[in-house]
Amino acid sequence: MAWTRRQLLLAALMLVTGSINTLSAKWADKLSAPGCNGTATHSFQHPFLQAVGMFLGEFSCLAVFYLLLCSDRRRPEPTMAPPQPFNPFLFLPPALCDMTGTSLMYVALNMTSASSFQMLRGAVVIFTGLLSVAFLGRKLVLSQWLGILITILGLVVVGLADLLSSSDKSHKLSEVITGDLLIIMAQVIVAIQMVLEEKFVYKHDVHPLQAVGTEGMQGSSKI
């Protein structure tokens, strides 16, 4: 099925904002400040604080949702359906997966380059596809299996480039390998999150902004 212009726009926005997110987080990791009374310089290495910032951003989607809902209700003919009651703890398992995966990725970003980080995140395609077959009963078509295979080949190239490259003087080889493995582990957890959301959450009639905001509320209160 061909994508609509709106879907293409959303995909492009996700790509651009995701890249900005990675670059800004890596830029923050490179910041440093001198210690008090002439002590050693301290670098900014606070992955969990960065994860909290992401969850607070998700939490803010609740405010946007209710603002849109109030604005819509003032129209002569409202177009938004009223929010349906649901158990907010329904979002707790996906939020815990999101919290763990995001924290691992920000820890890994301190150990490897932003380019490797962004490309290795593509491993989520592999694990989500495999888990959807195993737990959701999905059947992947040939083009999807080919996409998974191409993704695996791309990840192998990125991993080999990190092993063979000696241009990055800011990280030891052991740190780079550990960071790459942490990113792959995080993608397994993110894939579990997506499967949980599709199996238990999407069957409820919850607005996307309300869903993201509720998950952000759960994650920011647990991290």
Side-chain angles (χ1 to χ4, degrees):
M1 184 178 66
W3 282 23
T4 63
R5 289 185 178 180
R6 182 174 181 271
Q7 290 172 326
L8 289 172
L9 176 62
L10 290 175
L13 282 174
M14 185 177 69
L15 179 63
V16 172
T17 56
S19 300
I20 294 173
N21 175 37
T22 299
L23 292 173
S24 59
K26 189 63 178 179
W27 171 77
D29 292 339
K30 289 181 174 294
L31 295 177
S32 60
C36 298
N37 300 320
T39 55
T41 300
H42 302 281
S43 58
F44 182 89
Q45 293 184 356
H46 301 284
F48 297 103
L49 178 63
Q50 292 173 317
V52 169
M54 188 209 68
F55 278 113
L56 291 176
E58 291 184 0
F59 188 19
S60 66
C61 290
L62 269 182
V64 176
F65 168 72
Y66 285 111
L67 286 174
L68 290 175
L69 187 63
C70 291
S71 174
D72 184 72
R73 285 180 175 176
R74 293 183 178 183
R75 296 179 178 178
E77 296 182 2
T79 57
M80 290 180 63
Q84 301 296 321
F86 64 94
N87 186 352
F89 288 100
L90 184 71
F91 291 88
L92 181 58
L96 292 176
C97 290
D98 195 4
M99 177 186 70
T100 307
T102 301
S103 300
L104 279 176
M105 284 190 284
Y106 281 128
V107 169
L109 189 57
N110 283 289
M111 302 178 179
T112 189
S113 63
S115 56
S116 296
F117 173 86
Q118 189 72 352
M119 287 184 284
L120 288 173
R121 288 177 66 183
V124 70
V125 174
I126 302 168
F127 300 117
T128 304
L130 296 178
L131 290 177
S132 64
V133 171
F135 296 102
L136 299 177
R138 292 289 179 83
K139 292 183 179 181
L140 303 182
V141 299
L142 179 60
S143 61
Q144 292 170 323
W145 284 114
L146 287 175
I148 289 176
L149 178 60
I150 293 172
T151 303
I152 293 174
L153 294 176
L155 295 178
V156 170
V157 171
V158 174
L160 289 175
D162 283 341
L163 285 174
L164 301 176
S165 176
S166 59
S167 59
D168 188 1
K169 303 297 184 182
S170 60
H171 302 292
K172 298 178 182 178
L173 180 59
S174 59
E175 287 183 348
V176 173
I177 295 174
T178 303
D180 290 352
L181 291 176
L182 285 176
I183 296 170
I184 298 297
M185 289 172 55
Q187 301 320 301
V188 177
I189 298 173
V190 173
I192 295 173
Q193 171 198 344
M194 292 183 176
V195 171
L196 287 174
E197 288 174 341
E198 185 162 347
K199 190 172 182 64
F200 299 109
V201 176
Y202 290 164
K203 62 183 180 182
H204 296 270
D205 188 16
V206 182
H207 192 278
L209 285 174
Q210 189 180 16
V212 173
T214 305
E215 190 171 307
M217 177 183 66
Q218 294 284 358
S220 58
S221 63
K222 301 297 186 297
I223 193 168

